[in-house]
Amino acid sequence: MEPIFVKGVRVLGPFDYDKLVANIEKNYLRDIFEVCFWSGMRYVEVQRLYNHPEWIMKERRTIHLPAEAQRKAKRAQLERYIHPIPPQLESVLRYFFKGKNPPSQQSWNNNLKRWCEKSYIPSRGVSSKSTRKSIESWMISAGIPLNEVCLRQGHDSLTSMRHYQGLPFIPVEKEEIKRRLSWF
């Protein structure tokens, strides 16, 4: 199937996601991938989260990202909350914190491309941004209101999310995305 891109970054459909995860041999790297994907955090935020398990608010099923987590020059929110933590993320968080540190962004990008090739997924456009753009695309496709997606992802306006609308997921992908995001 032809790949989908948002601003040159590859968006994974649910079946490519499955193939890719199946080809991540090391458990700690698979856990990092799952945290990146299901949280929708930027890779640098995931790296910082690793050193701050106290950012997890277990009873609220929330990740609190204070200003120090983001350190992004153009960030719209001083802090943000990733809520609710989906079951797919909740199940790997304890392993994530016990595993090895997330590698450098360059190593992570190289790993992603290698896993794609092993999975027979074209690696063009695949980068550390792919997990974030994929889950954003999935949330929009599943009908989650734009304002909720913006708040969760730390976007400053609905306008910045418009390029995720109308992506050409085929009907079977849309059904699968809605099923996987039924927790929202």
Side-chain angles (χ1 to χ4, degrees):
M1 197 169 323
E2 298 84 6
I4 297 173
F5 298 92
V6 170
K7 293 185 171 182
V9 176
R10 173 70 190 268
V11 171
L12 299 170
F15 307 115
D16 284 341
Y17 163 91
D18 291 342
K19 288 192 278 185
L20 189 78
V21 168
N23 280 291
I24 302 174
E25 324 80 28
K26 295 182 180 173
N27 290 338
Y28 85 96
L29 292 172
R30 190 176 322 106
D31 295 341
I32 294 167
F33 180 85
E34 298 280 18
V35 170
C36 289
F37 189 90
W38 293 108
S39 71
M41 291 190 294
R42 295 172 182 90
Y43 188 71
V44 69
E45 294 169 341
V46 170
Q47 289 175 309
R48 292 180 184 137
L49 174 67
Y50 179 83
N51 295 313
H52 294 279
E54 71 274 11
W55 292 349
I56 307 293
M57 302 168 72
K58 289 181 184 172
E59 293 89 29
R60 295 186 184 278
R61 295 187 56 230
T62 299
I63 298 172
H64 172 240
L65 293 177
E68 68 192 77
Q70 300 174 72
R71 288 192 213 144
K72 189 172 188 264
K74 297 191 309 183
R75 77 172 180 263
Q77 299 166 299
L78 293 178
E79 59 187 343
R80 81 176 195 271
Y81 293 91
I82 296 175
H83 172 77
I85 293 176
Q88 298 93 327
L89 175 55
E90 205 165 26
S91 65
V92 299
L93 275 174
R94 66 183 155 132
Y95 302 110
F96 168 73
F97 290 113
K98 290 179 183 176
K100 295 179 183 179
N101 284 4
S104 70
Q105 192 157 359
Q106 183 178 353
S107 292
W108 188 248
N109 286 336
N110 291 337
N111 283 335
L112 288 168
K113 289 182 187 307
R114 183 171 44 82
W115 298 327
C116 280
E117 288 164 12
K118 272 183 76 174
S119 306
Y120 301 101
I121 297 170
S123 63
R124 184 173 66 93
V126 172
S127 73
S128 60
K129 294 180 178 183
S130 293
T131 49
R132 181 173 165 82
K133 291 203 182 294
S134 294
I135 196 64
E136 289 171 344
S137 300
W138 287 24
M139 287 190 285
I140 299 302
S141 177
I144 296 168
L146 272 176
N147 65 321
E148 289 184 40
V149 178
C150 281
L151 286 172
R152 180 185 177 93
Q153 298 302 102
H155 290 292
D156 59 347
S157 71
L158 296 176
T159 306
S160 67
M161 295 293 295
R162 297 274 186 236
H163 52 266
Y164 294 103
Q165 293 181 314
L167 293 181
F169 291 113
I170 61 174
V172 69
E173 287 176 312
K174 286 181 182 180
E175 288 173 32
E176 186 61 21
I177 288 168
K178 284 180 184 174
R179 187 185 70 73
R180 293 184 193 199
L181 297 184
S182 63
W183 49 266
F184 205 94

